[in-house]
Amino acid sequence: MSVRTPDPNSGWLSDSELAEIRQRLPLLYVEAVPVRVDGLGQVVEVGVLLRVGSSGTIARTLVSGRVMYGETLRDALFRHLEKDLGPMAFPQLPASPVPFQVAEYFPLPGVSPFYDERQHAVSLAYVVPVTGTCEPRQDALELTWMTPEEAASQGISDEMEGGRGGLLRAALASVGKLV
């Protein structure tokens, strides 16, 4: 039986490699809050995904995913937006790779406002306007467009895992939609 050698430049990890690394190192992620803007660039709608969470429950969440080895932040952000929203979403990536917030997720609740039972992760979070048709793919069940006021509500925040409701509110504050 021959052992298949993985491509050392692939950027992908096997499930067992990922589990081992998650126990030893913080991983880098990007997260995106998809928005629709009017002609003046003001946010008029916010997109929130509905997906089956790691615990098997259905929860609201944001576009998110790991940055692969050798991948730029822009490429990772675009890849995850396309993966979650579909190829016709036409995201307008920010001119600067500076996020509106850095969120640090810990496997122990209470260390920070952000929690991920699987790992210690650092996430760079962006607000990204999309201009096309969004059709969720992969493990996303649906994308719900709502007003900034609806997205900022306690009810939506309560439906989000790991503190992402707070991250969504911070995104809205960063674009002047939350006082």
Side-chain angles (χ1 to χ4, degrees), residues 100-169:
F100 73 83
Q101 183 165 335
V102 175
E104 193 170 13
Y105 291 84
F106 286 92
L108 302 170
V111 176
S112 88
F114 307 105
Y115 170 72
D116 186 334
E117 66 188 18
R118 305 167 301 161
Q119 65 192 335
H120 177 190
V122 176
S123 180
L124 307 178
Y126 300 87
V127 174
V128 180
V130 294
T131 60
T133 303
C134 297
E135 294 182 16
R137 302 174 4 159
Q138 300 289 328
D139 60 344
L141 302 173
E142 72 177 34
L143 175 70
T144 304
W145 290 103
M146 53 189 75
T147 67
E149 296 76 24
E150 291 168 330
S153 73
Q154 188 61 48
I156 295 298
S157 188
D158 290 344
E159 293 177 17
M160 301 182 91
E161 294 179 325
R164 284 185 177 86
L167 192 61
L168 177 56
R169 292 175 60 82

Side-chain angles (χ1 to χ4, degrees), residues 35-94:
V35 297
R36 300 246 188 235
V37 296
D38 64 14
L40 297 174
Q42 297 294 312
V43 172
V44 294
E45 289 185 306
V46 180
V48 179
L49 292 168
L50 189 67
R51 76 168 37 127
V52 177
S54 57
S55 62
T57 59
I58 295 178
R60 294 197 183 273
T61 193
L62 306 174
V63 171
S64 66
R66 287 191 318 271
V67 177
M68 294 189 319
Y69 180 81
E71 185 176 42
T72 68
L73 293 174
R74 295 176 88 59
D75 287 344
L77 195 54
F78 187 83
R79 180 170 56 84
H80 289 293
L81 283 158
E82 186 175 78
K83 175 185 67 98
D84 284 351
L85 303 181
M88 302 304 287
F90 302 130
Q92 304 298 300
L93 296 183

